[in-house]
């Protein structure tokens, strides 16, 4: 019995040591598994998904300035509740629009779709817009950790409609995605995204 306990203890020690030595690549893989990005190329229009107006707006402005799309369309109908404390009633897509204007994207290049409270709803809304305007190649800007789920929600349905979707992940200004466990915001973001992945897998 004592010999078996020593063997078990030895195995536990070895496994614990291996996991400790490999902790960085293992933790990093929890984030990289969520990421799916494409090489940015010129498209007919760029859509910025709601949520993360600062980071996503910053990324969209850079892509616009590189001439990758003539139009930037901000989507989303979720209200930004925190601003109600200041008496301001606004949507997340309003904040994205404001950030793009701050970054010198001209009003003539900006559009807004005030609808969509989830990735699924935004996908349906954008697909309808693309069909109505006969767009065949679009660029989607979202948070980097969100790109994998966006890919799963968007890719097949847009492909079936003959529309090419390219995904661009906006880097977070609050944490490093590849070292997410070192920051509370990173811990929350990765945890939330994996829970949403599970929810989308279960529901859809």
């Amino acid at each position: 019995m004592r010999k078996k306990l020593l063997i078990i203890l030895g195995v536990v020690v070895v496994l614990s040591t291996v996991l400790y030595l490999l902790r960085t690549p293992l933790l990093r893989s929890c984030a990289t598994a969520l990421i799916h990005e494409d090489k940015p190329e010129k498209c007919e229009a760029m859509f910025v998904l709601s949520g993360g107006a600062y980071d996503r707006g910053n990324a969209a402005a850079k892509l616009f300035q590189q001439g990758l799309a003539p139009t930037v369309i901000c989507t989303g109908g979720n209200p930004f509740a925190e601003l109600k404390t200041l008496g301001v009633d606004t949507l997340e897509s309003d904040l994205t629009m404001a950030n793009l204007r701050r970054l010198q994207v001209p009003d003539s290049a900006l559009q807004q779709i005030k609808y969509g409270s989830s990735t699924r709803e935004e996908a349906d809304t954008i697909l309808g817009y693309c069909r109505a305007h006969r767009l065949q190649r679009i660029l989607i800007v979202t948070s980097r950790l969100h790109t994998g789920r966006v890919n799963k929600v968007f890719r097949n349905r847009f492909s079936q409609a003959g529309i090419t979707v390219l995904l661009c992940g906006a880097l977070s200004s609050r944490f490093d995605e590849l070292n997410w466990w070192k920051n509370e915001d990173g811990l929350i973001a990765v945890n939330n995204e994996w829970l949403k992945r599970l929810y989308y897998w279960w529901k859809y």
Side-chain angles (χ1 to χ4, degrees):
M1 179 64 72
R2 185 178 180 184
K3 184 177 181 181
K4 288 183 178 180
L5 289 175
L6 289 174
I7 292 174
I8 293 172
L9 180 60
V11 170
V12 170
V13 170
V14 170
L15 288 176
S16 299
T17 302
V18 170
L19 288 174
Y20 177 78
L21 294 174
L22 296 177
R23 66 191 184 283
T24 296
L26 287 173
L27 289 168
R28 187 163 290 161
S29 68
C30 291
T32 56
L34 295 170
I35 299 171
H36 181 108
E37 295 178 284
D38 300 304
K39 180 181 178 180
E41 297 178 3
K42 197 164 186 178
C43 294
E44 295 169 279
M46 184 192 318
F47 292 84
V48 188
L49 303 188
S50 64
Y54 181 74
D55 294 332
R56 298 179 189 186
N58 291 350
K62 289 180 181 179
L63 294 169
F64 175 80
Q65 290 158 4
Q66 292 170 15
L68 295 182
T71 305
V72 184
I73 304 159
C74 304
T75 66
N78 281 324
F80 199 84
E82 283 77 5
L83 286 181
K84 290 184 178 181
T85 60
L86 300 175
V88 178
D89 190 9
T90 189
L91 302 176
E92 289 180 340
S93 54
D94 292 326
L95 294 179
T96 307
M97 289 278 285
N99 192 30
L100 288 165
R101 290 190 177 105
R102 178 184 70 85
L103 296 168
Q104 307 303 312
V105 177
D107 282 341
S108 58
L110 293 174
Q111 293 184 32
Q112 185 175 7
I113 302 175
K114 298 183 179 183
Y115 184 77
S117 59
S118 68
T119 303
R120 181 90 176 187
E121 285 186 0
E122 287 185 287
D124 291 338
T125 301
I126 292 171
L127 180 57
Y129 182 98
C130 290
R131 284 172 169 163
H133 293 80
R134 298 182 179 180
L135 300 180
Q136 296 182 323
R137 189 178 183 84
I138 64 171
L139 182 62
I140 301 290
V141 178
T142 188
S143 301
R144 196 179 185 198
L145 293 179
H146 187 209
T147 52
R149 184 157 52 91
V150 170
N151 177 61
K152 291 183 178 297
V153 174
F154 277 69
R155 193 76 70 178
N156 287 339
R157 64 178 61 189
F158 278 74
S159 178
Q160 291 172 4
I163 301 168
T164 298
V165 174
L166 299 179
L167 296 176
C168 179
L171 296 177
S172 174
S173 57
R174 296 183 177 185
F175 63 91
D176 177 0
E177 287 86 353
L178 298 184
N179 292 285
W180 58 270
W181 62 93
K182 298 180 180 180
N183 181 287
E184 184 177 354
D185 287 323
L187 287 167
I188 294 171
V190 170
N191 177 70
N192 285 350
E193 191 57 37
W194 276 112
L195 288 175
K196 290 177 181 178
R197 272 282 190 98
L198 179 61
Y199 172 76
Y200 270 67
W201 173 80
W202 178 262
K203 187 172 182 179
Y204 304 112

